[in-house]
Amino acid sequence: MTLVNKFVVSGRQFNVTFLLLALQSIVCITCVVVVKKLGIISFRDFNTQDAKAWLPVSALLVNVIYTGSKSLQYLTIPVYTIFKNLTIILIAYGEVIWFNGRLTGLTMISFILMILSSILAAWIDVNDVAQAAGNIPPASTSMGIGLELVSGMMKKLHIGYFWMLLNCLSSAGYVLLMRKRIKITGFSDWDSMFYNNLLSIPILAVFSIVLEDWGAVNLSRNFPTETRHLLLFAIAFSGAAAVGISYTTAWCVRTTSSTTYSMVGALNKLPVAASGMLFFGDAITIGSVSAIGVGFFAGVMYAIAKNNQKKLESRGQSILPLSNRN
């Protein structure tokens, strides 16, 4: 789904992100309602009280998807993916505060490796800007063109990292709040998926109408005639894919922990980062490959840490070092 969204929002003048997300949610809801009518799945009918309880979760989900889409406009897929993994650390400390979670020493090492992976990713971007500055002809530099070009590239990076920060904070808040709401409402996985997407549609529609240009010229620019059918198909496909993503997200958060869900997601995103190099022309360098490799190793370390933690808990032994329990 990340690859499809990257394809859709990478147009030169794409500026209707809220409309894109609303269309994806509509496709998602249509799919699950049809499947429910066929008797394949079941979930609760719409209830106002349930909707009120779940509305903050849906609002955070909209924020997660929107800030993620904006990040993809300014950052490469590998850099976006690796920085997204920093959310794991925020979620882990959120579990310590909200759910009496515990962090072991090995878990902390995996977090440090994840941070190292993100530093490598940032270094790649800065190095690219430096190389671009070095390749500018002297004549262009004397005319001030080089300075303007480098300034524009750095500004783009800063904007991308700003959206990435908001995305990490929103993602952590979304996952933690969803886990808490599932415990309160007793939602099944399909219930969570249904309300997530249904309640996000009016929020997205309002933001799209208020903030985005619905003029014929702008819509034509965002969906050019030569690629319109392909873009609409990509949006429909990503909306259908969101059914599986929303369902498995709710299932994983309910049955495991928010941190484990995020770490599994981080490992899943590493192949996505590699695909960005293959399909979107992202540079294949020692730095980018190292960043992905370190991120993968951090995921393996985390899996080992969680396995060891379960063994210690089953033996009744205490766990180091961070705990919110007194």
Side-chain angles (χ1 to χ4, degrees), residues 63 122 129 135 260 270 281 291 304 308:
N63 202 34
V129 173
N135 293 332
T260 298
L270 292 174
I304 295 172
N308 291 345

PDB file of all heavy atoms in Angstrom, residues 63 122 129 135 260 270 281 291 304 308:
ATOM      1  N   ASN A  63      -5.051  11.453  10.841  1.00  0.00           N
ATOM      2  CA  ASN A  63      -3.813  12.213  10.988  1.00  0.00           C
ATOM      3  C   ASN A  63      -2.595  11.372  10.616  1.00  0.00           C
ATOM      4  O   ASN A  63      -1.658  11.857   9.980  1.00  0.00           O
ATOM      5  CB  ASN A  63      -3.685  12.712  12.424  1.00  0.00           C
ATOM      6  CG  ASN A  63      -2.758  13.903  12.544  1.00  0.00           C
ATOM      7  OD1 ASN A  63      -2.682  14.734  11.638  1.00  0.00           O
ATOM      8  ND2 ASN A  63      -2.049  13.996  13.641  1.00  0.00           N
ATOM      9  N   ALA A 122      19.183   9.551   7.660  1.00  0.00           N
ATOM     10  CA  ALA A 122      19.276  11.004   7.568  1.00  0.00           C
ATOM     11  C   ALA A 122      20.589  11.420   6.917  1.00  0.00           C
ATOM     12  O   ALA A 122      20.631  12.365   6.121  1.00  0.00           O
ATOM     13  CB  ALA A 122      19.166  11.621   8.961  1.00  0.00           C
ATOM     14  N   VAL A 129      22.376  15.933  -0.771  1.00  0.00           N
ATOM     15  CA  VAL A 129      22.349  17.377  -0.987  1.00  0.00           C
ATOM     16  C   VAL A 129      23.765  17.907  -1.213  1.00  0.00           C
ATOM     17  O   VAL A 129      24.011  18.744  -2.091  1.00  0.00           O
ATOM     18  CB  VAL A 129      21.694  18.100   0.207  1.00  0.00           C
ATOM     19  CG1 VAL A 129      21.812  19.607   0.056  1.00  0.00           C
ATOM     20  CG2 VAL A 129      20.232  17.699   0.316  1.00  0.00           C
ATOM     21  N   ASN A 135      28.185  19.040  -7.615  1.00  0.00           N
ATOM     22  CA  ASN A 135      28.078  18.813  -9.059  1.00  0.00           C
ATOM     23  C   ASN A 135      27.618  20.040  -9.836  1.00  0.00           C
ATOM     24  O   ASN A 135      27.465  19.983 -11.054  1.00  0.00           O
ATOM     25  CB  ASN A 135      27.104  17.656  -9.326  1.00  0.00           C
ATOM     26  CG  ASN A 135      27.652  16.329  -8.829  1.00  0.00           C
ATOM     27  OD1 ASN A 135      28.871  16.131  -8.773  1.00  0.00           O
ATOM     28  ND2 ASN A 135      26.761  15.412  -8.459  1.00  0.00           N
ATOM     29  N   THR A 260       4.916  -4.749  20.120  1.00  0.00           N
ATOM     30  CA  THR A 260       5.168  -5.886  19.233  1.00  0.00           C
ATOM     31  C   THR A 260       4.561  -5.634  17.860  1.00  0.00           C
ATOM     32  O   THR A 260       5.187  -5.924  16.829  1.00  0.00           O
ATOM     33  CB  THR A 260       4.581  -7.174  19.845  1.00  0.00           C
ATOM     34  OG1 THR A 260       5.230  -7.433  21.090  1.00  0.00           O
ATOM     35  CG2 THR A 260       4.785  -8.353  18.913  1.00  0.00           C
ATOM     36  N   LEU A 270      10.831  -3.047   5.843  1.00  0.00           N
ATOM     37  CA  LEU A 270      12.181  -3.099   5.285  1.00  0.00           C
ATOM     38  C   LEU A 270      12.181  -3.566   3.821  1.00  0.00           C
ATOM     39  O   LEU A 270      12.889  -2.990   2.993  1.00  0.00           O
ATOM     40  CB  LEU A 270      13.077  -3.992   6.148  1.00  0.00           C
ATOM     41  CG  LEU A 270      13.372  -3.414   7.547  1.00  0.00           C
ATOM     42  CD1 LEU A 270      14.130  -4.423   8.386  1.00  0.00           C
ATOM     43  CD2 LEU A 270      14.155  -2.118   7.443  1.00  0.00           C
ATOM     44  N   GLY A 281      13.662   4.431  -8.243  1.00  0.00           N
ATOM     45  CA  GLY A 281      14.935   5.068  -8.560  1.00  0.00           C
ATOM     46  C   GLY A 281      15.676   5.631  -7.370  1.00  0.00           C
ATOM     47  O   GLY A 281      16.580   6.450  -7.536  1.00  0.00           O
ATOM     48  N   ALA A 291      21.557   1.125   6.408  1.00  0.00           N
ATOM     49  CA  ALA A 291      20.420   1.559   7.230  1.00  0.00           C
ATOM     50  C   ALA A 291      19.348   0.475   7.282  1.00  0.00           C
ATOM     51  O   ALA A 291      18.798   0.169   8.349  1.00  0.00           O
ATOM     52  CB  ALA A 291      19.841   2.853   6.675  1.00  0.00           C
ATOM     53  N   ILE A 304      14.147 -11.490  19.897  1.00  0.00           N
ATOM     54  CA  ILE A 304      14.867 -12.281  20.894  1.00  0.00           C
ATOM     55  C   ILE A 304      14.577 -11.755  22.297  1.00  0.00           C
ATOM     56  O   ILE A 304      14.361 -12.530  23.243  1.00  0.00           O
ATOM     57  CB  ILE A 304      16.389 -12.243  20.610  1.00  0.00           C
ATOM     58  CG1 ILE A 304      16.692 -12.937  19.269  1.00  0.00           C
ATOM     59  CG2 ILE A 304      17.167 -12.916  21.733  1.00  0.00           C
ATOM     60  CD1 ILE A 304      18.129 -12.790  18.818  1.00  0.00           C
ATOM     61  N   ASN A 308      12.909 -13.853  25.373  1.00  0.00           N
ATOM     62  CA  ASN A 308      13.574 -14.006  26.666  1.00  0.00           C
ATOM     63  C   ASN A 308      12.722 -13.459  27.802  1.00  0.00           C
ATOM     64  O   ASN A 308      12.688 -14.013  28.902  1.00  0.00           O
ATOM     65  CB  ASN A 308      14.925 -13.282  26.653  1.00  0.00           C
ATOM     66  CG  ASN A 308      15.935 -13.958  25.746  1.00  0.00           C
ATOM     67  OD1 ASN A 308      15.743 -15.107  25.341  1.00  0.00           O
ATOM     68  ND2 ASN A 308      17.008 -13.254  25.411  1.00  0.00           N
TER      69      ASN A 308
END
